[in-house]
Amino acid sequence: MTLLVWATGLTAVALVAVLAGYLLAASVALVRARRHLERLAEGLEAIAAEVQPLGDRLRAVNTVAADLLTGLRQVDEHLRGITVVLRL
């Protein structure tokens, strides 16, 4: 009976040691992930600060592009009219 008690005790200790190892490994992985996420957040904040002035410029570019589109549509209409007249 004493041998069975010792074997059960050693098995329990081994099980606890294995679980502790896995928990320690998971903890280390979570700490590393937190560090990487902090670096990523800092990088994203830096990017946001760098691109913030682009908003006004992109609005101006969008306005000019819309005007260009209107002009190109007019040219397209004229070219279609020419093809009708020339029967192409």
Side-chain angles (χ1 to χ4, degrees), residues 1-6:
M1 185 78 169
T2 306
L3 180 61
L4 186 58
V5 171
W6 277 100

Side-chain angles (χ1 to χ4, degrees), residues 28-73:
V28 168
L30 288 172
V31 167
R32 287 182 183 165
R34 188 193 76 195
R35 282 191 216 137
H36 291 300
L37 288 174
E38 286 173 352
R39 289 182 192 156
L40 178 63
E42 290 172 2
L44 291 174
E45 288 172 357
I47 290 170
E50 290 292 324
V51 299
Q52 186 176 10
L54 291 177
D56 295 332
R57 293 182 180 146
L58 289 177
R59 275 188 277 285
V61 168
N62 192 31
T63 301
V64 171
D67 293 343
L68 177 62
L69 178 62
T70 302
L72 289 173
R73 284 184 176 154

